[in-house]
């Protein structure tokens, strides 16, 4: 049983320990502890100053690199996509400055952005699947026969055709079907078209700003993230098959969409880090390389096949030949009216 003497001894021990600590701290250990603390503070201060100096040096190097790239970009990309019209399709909301920078690089490469399209959440929402199905049924008469195509594949084809189909008699105008498709897709709140220089596109840039690292675990096919990724892959497949060249571009350095495309069978190139000058230049070079038959995945991401594609200079686009192709596509009705189609294919 604990008695009063036990408590008294405990209290005396505590006070003795405090007294010894005070005496030692104020006496023989005072200088050692003080010197040790002072040394640690000075060491931390020196480390901080070194880190700040290293950061300032890295920032200066980065600024100098970007300045060099800005100065050399025009000559690097000049003529790479001569005369091509480019449509930028935003898979999700992108920064205006990023789109503007990409448009400037396209112009430096000899091309021109003629359309900017923004996909709404309705395009990929699992809750809007039935609505997309009913809309796809209304679009069927304007699409090529595709008995094995899914609803999302049909919508992807409709969007691509709405951007690339030309009038068989006017190479700078959309075909009547393309105009109808634009109206139906916009009325269905699936996409928003912004076309300051409206004209059928030759090439398509699919732009995503989502920075979604690939997980080590395969997500369930029922998740919204996986559904969105699969629908975007359908659009990538439609874009590359329906245009002269297409590329999937991410403003970040790691996205599940880029990983999935790189690991898949769709012959479309990808570019990461398009929020930087390097990525924007690479995007234009990749369009030219894709049009010449080179497919690759470029940027600093782990799955990249190279940092940048080979430099290719495409010949000036032949609008007459492309109009002839459009005439062949629409030739049935014209031939029935007695107007022979004599255009040669591109």
């Amino acid at each position: 049983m604990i008695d009063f003497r036990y408590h008294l001894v405990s209290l005396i021990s505590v006070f003795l320990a405090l007294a010894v600590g005070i005496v030692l701290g104020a006496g023989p250990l005072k200088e050692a502890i003080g010197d040790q603390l002072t040394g640690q503070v000075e060491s931390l201060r020196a480390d901080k100053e070194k880190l700040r100096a290293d950061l300032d040096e890295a920032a200066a190097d980065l600024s100098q690199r970007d300045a060099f790239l800005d100065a050399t970009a025009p000559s690097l990309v000049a003529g790479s996509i001569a005369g091509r019209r480019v449509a930028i399709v935003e898979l999700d909301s992108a920064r205006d400055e990023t789109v503007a920078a990409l448009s400037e690089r396209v112009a430096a490469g000899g091309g021109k952005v003629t359309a900017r399209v923004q996909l709404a959440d309705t395009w990929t929402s699992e809750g809007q699947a039935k609505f997309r199905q009913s809309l796809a049924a209304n679009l069927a008469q304007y699409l090529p026969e595709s008995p094995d195509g899914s609803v999302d594949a049909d919508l992807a084809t409709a969007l691509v055709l709405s951007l690339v189909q030309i009038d068989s008699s006017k190479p700078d105008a959309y075909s009547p079907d393309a105009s109808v498709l634009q109206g139906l897709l916009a009325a269905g709140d699936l996409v928003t078209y912004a076309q300051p220089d409206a004209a059928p596109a030759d090439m398509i840039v699919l732009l995503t700003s989502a920075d979604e690292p690939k997980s080590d675990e395969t997500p369930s096919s029922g998740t919204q993230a996986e559904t969105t990724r699969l629908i975007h892959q359908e659009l990538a497949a439609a874009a590359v098959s329906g245009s002269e060249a297409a590329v999937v571009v991410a403003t970040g350095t790691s996205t599940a969409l880029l990983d999935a495309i790189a690991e898949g069978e769709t012959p479309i190139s990808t570019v990461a880090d398009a929020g930087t000058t390097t990525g924007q230049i690479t995007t234009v070079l990749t369009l030219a390389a894709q049009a010449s038959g080179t497919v690759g995945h470029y940027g600093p991401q782990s799955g990249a096949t190279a940092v940048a594609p080979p430099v290719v200079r495409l010949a000036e686009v032949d609008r007459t030949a492309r109009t002839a192709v459009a005439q062949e596509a629409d030739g049935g009705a014209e031939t029935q009216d007695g107007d022979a189609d004599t255009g040669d294919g591109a």
Side-chain angles (χ1 to χ4, degrees), residues 176-199:
D177 282 358
S179 298
V180 172
L181 289 171
Q182 289 181 19
L184 291 173
L185 291 173
D189 292 329
L190 288 179
V191 301
T192 300
Y193 290 87
Q195 304 184 102
D197 298 301

Side-chain angles (χ1 to χ4, degrees), residues 53-116:
D54 291 343
L55 181 61
D56 291 341
E57 183 179 356
D61 290 343
L62 183 61
S63 178
Q64 186 176 10
R65 185 203 66 180
D66 287 344
F68 174 80
L69 288 172
D70 283 331
T72 59
S75 59
L76 182 61
V77 303
S80 55
I81 52 173
R84 267 63 178 185
R85 299 164 179 160
V86 179
I88 296 178
V89 179
E90 298 175 41
L91 304 182
D92 42 61
S93 182
R95 293 180 178 272
D96 289 339
E97 53 265 34
T98 300
V99 176
L102 282 172
S103 300
E104 290 178 5
R105 303 302 176 194
V106 167
K112 185 178 185 180
V113 173
T114 57
R116 177 182 177 184

Side-chain angles (χ1 to χ4, degrees), residues 13-31 33:
S13 299
V14 170
F15 283 113
L16 282 174
L18 288 172
V20 170
I22 292 172
V23 170
L24 292 176
L29 295 181
K30 178 180 179 181
E31 296 298 329
I33 294 175

Side-chain angles (χ1 to χ4, degrees), residues 5-161:
R5 284 179 298 177
Y6 178 84
H7 287 296
L8 182 62
V9 171
S10 298
L11 288 173
I12 292 173
S13 299
V14 170
F15 283 113
L16 282 174
L18 288 172
V20 170
I22 292 172
V23 170
L24 292 176
L29 295 181
K30 178 180 179 181
E31 296 298 329
I33 294 175
D35 291 344
Q36 184 178 9
L37 291 175
T38 300
Q40 290 178 349
V41 170
E42 291 178 350
S43 176
L44 290 173
R45 183 180 293 112
D47 289 343
K48 178 183 176 182
E49 291 176 353
K50 184 179 184 303
L51 289 173
R52 180 168 294 280
D54 291 343
L55 181 61
D56 291 341
E57 183 179 356
D61 290 343
L62 183 61
S63 178
Q64 186 176 10
R65 185 203 66 180
D66 287 344
F68 174 80
L69 288 172
D70 283 331
T72 59
S75 59
L76 182 61
V77 303
S80 55
I81 52 173
R84 267 63 178 185
R85 299 164 179 160
V86 179
I88 296 178
V89 179
E90 298 175 41
L91 304 182
D92 42 61
S93 182
R95 293 180 178 272
D96 289 339
E97 53 265 34
T98 300
V99 176
L102 282 172
S103 300
E104 290 178 5
R105 303 302 176 194
V106 167
K112 185 178 185 180
V113 173
T114 57
R116 177 182 177 184
V117 179
Q118 295 175 318
L119 299 190
D121 292 339
T122 316
W123 189 276
T124 57
S125 172
E126 291 181 331
Q128 298 294 325
K130 290 184 177 180
F131 170 72
R132 292 197 299 274
Q133 184 176 11
S134 63
L135 181 58
N138 294 331
L139 300 175
Q141 59 183 310
Y142 304 102
L143 305 179
E145 293 186 8
S146 178
D148 298 328
S150 66
V151 169
D152 294 316
D154 286 343
L155 289 175
T157 299
L159 177 58
V160 171
L161 291 179

Side-chain angles (χ1 to χ4, degrees), residues 243-300:
S243 64
E244 182 183 5
V247 59
V248 179
V249 178
T251 56
T253 57
S254 177
T255 71
L257 178 59
L258 294 194
D259 290 337
I261 290 176
E263 295 170 1
E265 299 180 355
T266 302
I268 186 171
S269 298
T270 64
V271 176
D273 211 19
T276 66
T277 302
T278 304
Q280 293 151 14
I281 294 172
T282 303
T283 297
V284 177
L285 296 178
T286 301
L287 284 171
Q290 176 92 34
S292 69
T294 300
V295 178
H297 307 288
Y298 309 108

